[in-house]
Each structure stands twice: as C-alpha cells, then as structure tokens.
Amino acid sequence: MTDPQQEGGDRSVTVWNNNDGTIITGDYPTINHFTLPPESPPPPENSPAGKANLLAEVVGGFLKSEEEQLRLWDPAPLPLRFRAVSPELAAGCNIGPGLRTGSSEVLPLDQPLKDLAAAYEGKKPGRLLVLGRAGSGKTVLIRRFAMDRLKARGPYGRDPVPVIFSLGSWDPHKTSLRNWLIGRLERDYPFLAGDGPGGRSWAGTLVMTECVLAILDGFDEIADGLHEKALRDLSAVTLPVLLTSRRPEIEAAAAKSSVSFDGIELTDLTLDDVAGYLLPGAGAARGTDPPATGTTGWEYVLNRLRLHPDEPACARLTAVLTTPLMVELARAVHRSGRDPARLLTGRELDTREALEDHLLDRFVPAAYARFLSVRSDGKHRTWPAERSRHWLGYLATHLRHLDTHDIEWWRLGTAMSLSSRMVASGAVIGFVSGVLTVLPSGYLISLHVIIVTFLNMLGSGLAFGFLQGLMSSAAAGGGFQPSRMHIRIRGGSKRVKQNLLPRIRSGLAGGLVFGVVYGLGNAVYVAVAGFPWLNVFLVFMDWFLVGLGVGLGTGLVLGLMTGVEAVIETKASVSPADLLKTNRTTVLTQILVTGLIAGIGFGVVVTAINGFAIGVGHGITMGVMVALGSCTLTAWGRWIVLVRLWLPLTGRLPWAVNAFLDDACQRGVLRQAGAVHQFRHARLRDRMAEVHGRREREREQPTEATGVS
C-alpha cells in the first residue's frame, strides 16, 4: 500500500509490505527500512485477560440478539434528549465535552456516544449516573453505550468489559455488591464459574481486578427501604460503574447518605423527534405550520398536535408522547391498521394516565396479532391473544408478589401459598407412588391391595408434602436454586470432603421427617384395624428406622456423587432453557442413583423377612418413592410439579411454558436477561398485574354472590 503526503516541496511516501515498512522522504529520497512489531497474540484462554475477552464476545452477541428481538432500530432509533444532573446530585463537573449544563441536548443513538463515553472516562474509576423517569429510554441508552464500549475495546482490549445487571433483585443487607455481581456472572456466564487463580472463581477474579464495567440498571427498582444502604455500598466500591435510576429514589437516598454522582438526566422528546420516528422520511409533519392533510393517520395527528397545542386532547397526547416507551408503544399498537386519530377522540381517554394505560393494554394484543416469520423448527405455533394476556398477567402478578423483575423458572409457582405448594407436591408424589404400589401386584387387585395403595398414597404424599414445606421455608425466597453442576467422571476428592457431611445431615433430616409421617400413617391404619398397641408401636418404629436408614443412605450417596460433579464451563452465556436442561440432567442422574440404592437396600431387607416376591415389589415401590420425593426437593423437580403440571391444570400458565416464554421474547413483550426472563418494561409488568388482578376479582364476584344466595 502507498500513501503519499505533500506539504510545500517535500514528499513523504510510506510503503507497507506485511510487517516490513519503507520510508522515502524529500525530493532526494532517503530510504529507511524498518520492521513493524508483530501483532500481539491473543491472551491464553485460561487467564484473566482471556476470560475477559471471551466475556466481551458473548456479551456483544447477546446485545445484538436483544436489539433484534426488541426491534430497537425499527424503523430508526429514537434520539434521546438530556441535560446535566442537578447540582444536588453532582459533586463536581464530570460531564465531559458536549454534555453542558443548561438547555436540553440530543443524543443520537445511531451514532457513537462519544460525549457519554467522555463523561464516563472523566474520573477513574469511571462513574456515571443516568437519570430519567419511567420509559425515558435509560435501558435503551445503556445498551447502546455497552455496544460502543465493546467496539472501542477491540478484540483483545484491556478496558473493562461492559455487562448489564438488573439491580432490582439486589438486597444490600444480604450480600455485598461485589459478591452479588460475582453470583450473577457465575449464573449467566457459566465459563466464569470455574476455579480461577487464588481460590476464586473466574467471575470473582474479573470483578476483583476491575475487568468488568458494571452497568447497573434500575436503582429505583430495588425494594423499598434498601435504597440508602444500596447507595452507600455503591459509593464505597472502586469498581467502574454506570448507574440508572429515576430521580426521586436516588435523590431521597443521596440526601440521607451524603453521596453524590455525576451524570446526565434524560428529558422529554419534542414533536420533531416523535415525527421523525413515526413518519420516517416524511417532511410534512416537521415544518413550522404544515397543513393538516386528511383526518386519519399519524400525519394528521401530529399536525393537529402542532396546530392546536392548547386543545385538551392535543395537550394530553403531546404529554404522553414525550417518552420513548410511549412513542414505541403508540407505533406498535397502530402499525397494524388501527387509526391513531382515535387517541384524540376516544371518550374514555380523557386523562394522560388513561391514554398511557390504553397503549399498555393494547400492546400485547398487537404483539400477538403480528406474524413471526423467523422461528426455529418445531416452534411454529400460535398463541391466542386473550389467553396470552391472561398468562402474562399471572406472571406479572407473580413478580409483584415476589417483589422482583426476574422471571426465574425455579421460582415460578412460589407465589402460591406454602400450603398449596405442599398439597400439590404431596398429591403428585402420592398418586404416582400409589400407582406404582399396584403395578407390582399384577392383576390381583383386592381390598387389601386397594387399602395398601391408599395408605401409600396418603403416607408418601403427607411425608414429602410436609418435607417440601419445611425445606421451602428454609430456602431463601422459598425457592430451590438450580445447580450449576453437571455430572462428569473426574477426580473430586476435595469436593467430597466439603459436601459429604452436609449432605448426610440433610439426608438424615429428610429421612427423619419421612419416617415419622409415614410411620404415623401406617400406625393409624394398624390401630384402626384393631391390632394391639404393641403392634402399633412396632409398626411406627419400623418405618421410623426405615426413614433414618433411607435418609442416611441418600445423603451418603449424594455426598459421594459430588466427586463426579463439575462446574459447567460452556463458552457462552446461559439461557433459561439451557440452565433448565442442565439441572434436569443432573437431577435425573442423582435420583436414579439414590432411588436404585434405596430400592435395592429396602428390597433386600423385606426379602429376608417376607420372601423374594414381596421384597421385589416393596423394593420397587420404595425406590421410586424415594426418587420422586427427592426430585421434588430440587429446582427442576418443583418446576415439573408446579409449572408443568399444577399451574397449567389450574389454567394459570400454558402447558408449553418454555415455548410460550420464548415466543413472548420474539414478540418483544418479554426480554431475556441472562438466565432469566423479564418484561420489556416495568410499567408494562405493573399494568398487566393490575389488570389481571382486577379481572380475577371480577370473576370471583359472581361465585361469591351465588354462594350468598
């Protein structure tokens, strides 16, 4: 390649040939040869720099996929307007060139955010606050910012990797910010969960060495009463941080903790901004006083807003169309042919709140009326809009009940009362174990077999339902966390030493509960049958000892199995479906082994007392009962009982839950955030929960009235 440069009478020519260069200068050339340094090789994969580069690659791919799903650039990105944060929040001037105080300025999202990057880099470590009211575009802005930082970082950069974290699930009283970030990275990026240098995981290494730029989205979504503590913890860490929030929550917290942040605040869009989005390429609605053409369509509506700003209907709609969220909803709702002029004439749309609720309510039906042309094989199915709204309403109510924004598959159903979960688990275990008690008896169905079957159903259901309740009460948030382990034959003596005694204790506790409850059930049957009290006591003690033996064996087996468990180290982010499949494989392997050992052990004891035929039947029944009961005490097992069976049976969720959630993501109603799903916006979630609750109450009222009469 040749690049001539001339200034005055001098000439300079540089000739490049691979890594060799030749410089020729002046009218009488002087030739100098040199060799360029070779390109730096990529860092080793099993090093902090290598893991950071892999994280950057995965985060970039996920952000691109999310942009496509949410259709953020269709037809063109909305510009955002901003101003510097108020002096009450900013301790000094760290707003960088271009981000001046005073009048509102524009951030065009289709261009690199150089000014915002300059503001972030103004201090070390980089810190920036992005304020804005609900729907003002904070989430879209930070995704564009993350993409820009990844591009500026390059393929083997040394800058921190931008990772977006939904801050709403953080409880600063339970865990520090660093540990919370590490846990989220290990969950969403399994290749960072493996052992790194210094006894930490790779996620811990990257966070502790400040290789991660934590983009913390939604400070205002942290639970009430935690904001002050959260802001103090945020200010104490030296991590590079970009924080988003609504103004009231962070102002209240900053006033009490004397903490300040520099940054920007997103402001209202103008009609010109809105017109450029709703009418791309059209100029009629952008003039000073354009003539109103026709009586329908966006061009007519926007001209009405310009020409008659003092009319109440125009003033209300103009106020609604000042946030990107409402502008995007308005376009999505009316893209299928609905006339937007109704927004100016609808009698029920007499307030700004009513207009916004109308757009939120119409968004889901509009999304489900849209045909999805890009789908993977096997997922070509339609979901009725009305039923979908009901199911999404239940999910929104579930999130409101748990005070979270994350749709975590392992916590679905935990919004039900504890007694309902116990009944559901007990009913499933009791029914299946009862059926499996009959099957070994062949076709010899008799009164005795029916009674024994009923007792097995009752006893196993009560035992495991009660055990489910105890463990749910002890588990954080009432949920069992999915394991990030998979079964892999390799040495793991250290892991066995760490987990053997805790799992034996858990097994003994579970066996104790099972033995007491199941023994009491059989003892009651013997007492009702008229046997002496000594027999009643012996029956109870038999099952009590059986429970302890089964619990000890189960705990011992599960403890030894930690030697063949390994952390998942896939080189990709994990989706909800990926985490579910991995947990399913691990759980099935564990319950197969424990059920087999429990069944063989119990069968051998019964065979020695009552003969081979009875021993085999009881062994099979006990093995399956233990396997099923143990399964319900795992994240995947409870998913099967509650989400795949109970909630669909009661109409609260569809049978194909995973396919429904994936479809909702494709339609832009939900979005994927690592290993969980979320509603596209908190306002959409809150509105759907509100409407769902009102409909449920209205549906219950006729029943109550009928009951009274």
Side-chain angles (χ1 to χ4, degrees):
M1 183 185 77
T2 303
D3 181 21
Q5 296 177 347
Q6 294 186 3
E7 184 176 353
D10 293 337
R11 291 178 301 173
S12 176
V13 179
T14 304
V15 180
W16 305 94
N17 180 17
N18 295 331
N19 287 332
D20 294 328
T22 302
I23 298 180
I24 305 174
T25 60
D27 292 330
Y28 303 97
T30 300
I31 301 177
N32 297 304
H33 295 276
F34 66 94
T35 300
L36 292 174
E39 292 185 4
S40 301
E45 182 180 304
N46 215 30
S47 66
K51 293 294 185 182
N53 289 330
L54 180 56
L55 177 63
E57 179 182 345
V58 173
V59 168
F62 175 75
L63 289 173
K64 290 180 181 178
S65 175
E66 188 177 38
E67 285 183 352
E68 294 175 357
Q69 287 187 349
L70 296 181
R71 305 166 68 92
L72 296 180
W73 312 114
D74 179 21
L78 264 169
L80 299 179
R81 293 188 173 271
F82 70 93
R83 63 190 175 204
V85 296
S86 61
E88 291 78 11
L89 286 174
C93 183
N94 181 31
I95 55 177
L99 303 185
R100 299 178 297 275
T101 58
S103 62
S104 174
E105 300 181 42
V106 178
L107 279 174
L109 293 185
D110 55 352
Q111 301 175 17
L113 303 178
K114 296 179 180 179
D115 292 339
L116 194 61
Y120 161 74
E121 293 172 344
K123 289 183 179 180
K124 296 298 181 182
R127 283 184 176 273
L128 188 66
L129 173 65
V130 176
L131 289 181
R133 58 194 178 99
S136 60
K138 301 184 295 295
T139 301
V140 175
L141 175 61
I142 62 174
R143 276 158 175 74
R144 181 72 266 172
F145 176 79
M147 291 292 290
D148 280 358
R149 299 305 298 171
L150 286 173
K151 291 178 181 177
R153 186 179 186 275
Y156 305 124
R158 296 181 179 274
D159 294 336
V161 181
V163 182
I164 299 174
F165 300 88
S166 295
L167 203 56
S169 60
W170 176 40
D171 185 346
H173 288 299
K174 294 181 179 179
T175 181
S176 67
L177 178 63
R178 285 183 184 271
N179 289 338
W180 182 80
L181 294 174
I182 291 170
R184 285 299 182 270
L185 287 172
E186 291 176 350
R187 184 194 71 180
D188 296 341
Y189 306 96
F191 57 87
L192 298 180
D195 295 334
R200 296 191 186 100
S201 66
W202 283 113
T205 299
L206 295 186
V207 171
M208 297 304 293
T209 55
E210 299 182 2
C211 292
V212 174
L213 161 56
I215 301 179
L216 306 176
D217 188 21
F219 177 84
D220 52 283
E221 295 172 358
I222 296 176
D224 293 339
L226 301 179
H227 293 102
E228 184 180 350
K229 168 67 173 171
L231 189 58
R232 284 201 302 268
D233 288 3
L234 277 166
S235 303
V237 298
T238 58
L239 293 170
V241 168
L242 187 150
L243 179 67
T244 75
S245 178
R246 291 185 298 183
R247 185 198 290 183
E249 287 78 3
I250 202 163
E251 278 188 342
K256 296 180 181 179
S257 58
S258 301
V259 174
S260 59
F261 265 88
D262 299 313
I264 63 172
E265 181 175 11
L266 300 181
T267 57
D268 292 346
L269 298 175
T270 66
L271 281 179
D272 284 340
D273 300 329
V274 175
Y277 180 76
L278 296 177
L279 295 172
R286 300 186 187 184
T288 306
D289 286 316
T293 58
T295 58
T296 60
W298 278 119
E299 186 175 353
Y300 164 76
V301 170
L302 293 172
N303 281 316
R304 279 286 306 275
L305 299 184
R306 284 183 181 280
L307 297 173
H308 307 282
D310 296 329
E311 287 185 3
C314 292
R316 287 194 297 269
L317 184 55
T318 299
V320 168
L321 297 179
T322 54
T323 63
L325 173 64
M326 289 300 154
V327 176
E328 291 172 4
L329 291 181
R331 182 177 183 274
V333 167
H334 297 89
R335 181 166 43 196
S336 59
R338 290 176 59 87
D339 183 11
R342 185 179 179 277
L343 298 174
L344 294 171
T345 59
R347 293 184 178 179
E348 72 279 10
L349 308 179
D350 56 350
T351 65
R352 176 176 177 174
E353 292 73 18
L355 269 171
E356 293 180 345
D357 289 344
H358 169 77
L359 292 176
L360 290 167
D361 292 342
R362 293 299 310 167
F363 173 66
V364 171
Y368 279 88
R370 181 166 58 92
F371 174 73
L372 294 182
S373 58
V374 181
R375 289 188 183 178
S376 58
D377 293 339
K379 294 185 178 180
H380 291 273
R381 59 183 304 171
T382 58
W383 302 93
E386 189 61 30
R387 293 300 298 162
S388 297
R389 183 160 58 175
H390 171 74
W391 295 325
L392 289 167
Y394 172 77
L395 289 173
T397 305
H398 163 83
L399 297 181
R400 289 283 296 273
H401 180 84
L402 297 181
D403 197 15
T404 182
H405 295 265
D406 297 340
I407 304 175
E408 301 164 318
W409 60 259
W410 57 94
R411 296 185 72 188
L412 284 176
T414 56
M416 297 166 53
S417 65
L418 181 59
S419 59
S420 298
R421 300 201 301 269
M422 292 170 64
V423 169
S425 299
V428 171
I429 297 300
F431 175 78
V432 176
S433 63
V435 170
L436 293 171
T437 300
V438 175
L439 290 179
S441 303
Y443 297 100
L444 302 177
I445 305 298
S446 63
L447 179 61
H448 173 74
V449 171
I450 294 175
I451 294 176
V452 171
T453 300
F454 174 77
L455 287 176
N456 275 286
M457 292 176 63
L458 179 63
S460 60
L462 286 173
F464 284 107
F466 189 65
L467 191 57
Q468 172 81 213
L470 289 178
M471 294 194 66
S472 296
S473 299
F480 303 137
Q481 295 295 321
S483 172
R484 290 190 295 268
M485 299 292 182
H486 66 153
I487 304 301
R488 178 179 174 185
I489 304 301
R490 73 177 196 180
S493 57
K494 181 179 179 181
R495 198 180 300 277
V496 172
K497 292 178 182 178
Q498 294 174 342
N499 294 279
L500 184 59
L501 286 179
R503 291 199 176 187
I504 288 178
R505 286 196 294 266
S506 298
L508 281 173
L512 177 64
V513 173
F514 173 79
V516 169
V517 177
Y518 202 81
L520 284 174
N522 280 271
V524 169
Y525 166 67
V526 173
V528 171
F531 287 90
W533 285 106
L534 178 60
N535 295 71
V536 175
F537 175 75
L538 291 176
V539 167
F540 172 78
M541 290 304 300
D542 284 345
W543 282 107
F544 178 78
L545 295 175
V546 166
L548 288 181
V550 170
L552 176 62
T554 301
L556 182 62
V557 170
L558 293 177
L560 293 175
M561 285 187 68
T562 57
V564 295
E565 291 178 355
V567 177
I568 304 167
E569 296 183 1
T570 177
K571 296 178 182 178
S573 61
V574 61
S575 68
D578 293 333
L579 189 59
L580 179 64
K581 291 176 183 176
T582 302
N583 197 239
R584 176 185 63 194
T585 302
T586 303
V587 170
L588 286 176
T589 304
Q590 291 174 338
I591 66 172
L592 177 63
V593 175
T594 55
L596 187 63
I597 292 177
I600 291 175
F602 187 70
V604 168
V605 173
V606 175
T607 297
I609 300 174
N610 298 315
F612 180 77
I614 298 178
V616 169
H618 283 72
I620 292 175
T621 301
M622 177 58 69
V624 173
M625 191 185 302
V626 170
L628 290 173
S630 301
C631 181
T632 62
L633 304 179
T634 65
W636 178 74
R638 184 151 71 178
W639 155 269
I640 292 295
V641 171
L642 297 181
V643 184
R644 298 292 285 136
L645 294 174
W646 195 263
L647 294 177
L649 279 172
T650 55
R652 284 174 268 191
L653 284 179
W655 289 101
V657 179
N658 283 335
F660 173 72
L661 295 177
D662 290 340
D663 181 82
C665 282
Q666 291 291 331
R667 297 181 183 279
V669 179
L670 301 180
R671 66 186 182 195
Q672 183 184 322
V676 301
H677 290 102
Q678 296 175 339
F679 276 88
R680 177 172 183 158
H681 196 277
R683 286 206 61 187
L684 179 62
R685 179 208 63 183
D686 293 343
R687 177 60 181 173
M688 296 205 72
E690 177 186 345
V691 173
H692 180 78
R694 184 174 66 243
R695 288 187 174 187
E696 290 296 299
R697 290 191 296 271
E698 290 174 354
R699 190 170 64 177
E700 292 172 359
Q701 284 177 356
T703 304
E704 294 175 357
T706 302
V708 172
S709 61

